[in-house]
Amino acid sequence: MSSFDALFPADDWVESEMTAYLNGNVAVPARLLYDQADPWAVTLVLDCGASGEREWVFGRDLLCSGMLAAVGDGDVRIGPEDDRVWIVLSSPSGFADLAFSRAALEKALEKTEDLVPPGREPEFFDWDREWDLLTGEAA
């Protein structure tokens, strides 16, 4: 068992591999990570080749809502278009328009919901640990 597996048991998180299409046509390997320790968030990891990986963390509910209608403000905007879902990411250093397969995102969201059903997030959140992090106490 690797140290990563010991720290993050497979029963506590899920990873979904998929492909994003930059500007709708340039394939970019992507992963969607979900950890029940942070049950309201998903992490999108983009493999940017020689410049490394880029991570964006945003709300699982934002992604769910964006599957149905255009949502978001600022850094992350999400919206459906036929069999695709667009995720637009922006930062001071640039932006990316990414198209994802609706089916791939639906499958990834199903995995997260199997781990933590919507509405039950507070049951999985470690409030004491978060308080310790916020107050600077040892976690």
Side-chain angles (χ1 to χ4, degrees):
M1 174 183 288
S2 74
S3 60
F4 182 83
D5 292 334
L7 290 172
F8 302 101
D11 292 344
D12 296 344
W13 65 280
V14 293
E15 175 179 10
S16 298
E17 293 186 18
M18 59 191 68
T19 302
Y21 293 90
L22 182 63
N23 300 324
N25 56 21
V26 177
V28 177
R31 294 177 289 141
L32 192 72
L33 306 173
Y34 181 78
D35 183 351
Q36 74 179 19
D38 190 2
W40 288 283
V42 293
T43 302
L44 176 62
V45 181
L46 301 169
D47 182 349
C48 298
S51 46
E53 291 186 333
R54 301 292 184 265
E55 292 184 6
W56 288 82
V57 179
F58 51 92
R60 176 174 72 166
D61 61 338
L62 182 70
L63 181 56
C64 290
S65 296
M67 301 286 286
L68 304 173
V71 297
D73 228 355
D75 293 3
V76 180
R77 295 186 316 272
I78 303 171
E81 182 183 280
D82 302 322
D83 62 343
R84 293 178 164 191
V85 174
W86 287 88
I87 299 179
V88 179
L89 306 172
S90 61
S91 75
S93 61
F95 68 94
D97 291 326
L98 301 163
F100 290 84
S101 156
R102 174 185 293 280
L105 286 175
E106 286 173 347
K107 185 175 179 180
L109 283 170
E110 285 175 9
K111 288 167 113 178
T112 74
E113 291 172 357
D114 288 345
L115 192 59
V116 177
R120 295 195 44 211
E121 293 89 352
E123 297 172 35
F124 293 86
F125 191 72
D126 187 343
W127 296 99
D128 293 332
R129 179 180 177 276
E130 192 65 23
W131 180 253
D132 289 345
L133 290 171
L134 288 170
T135 60
E137 296 178 25

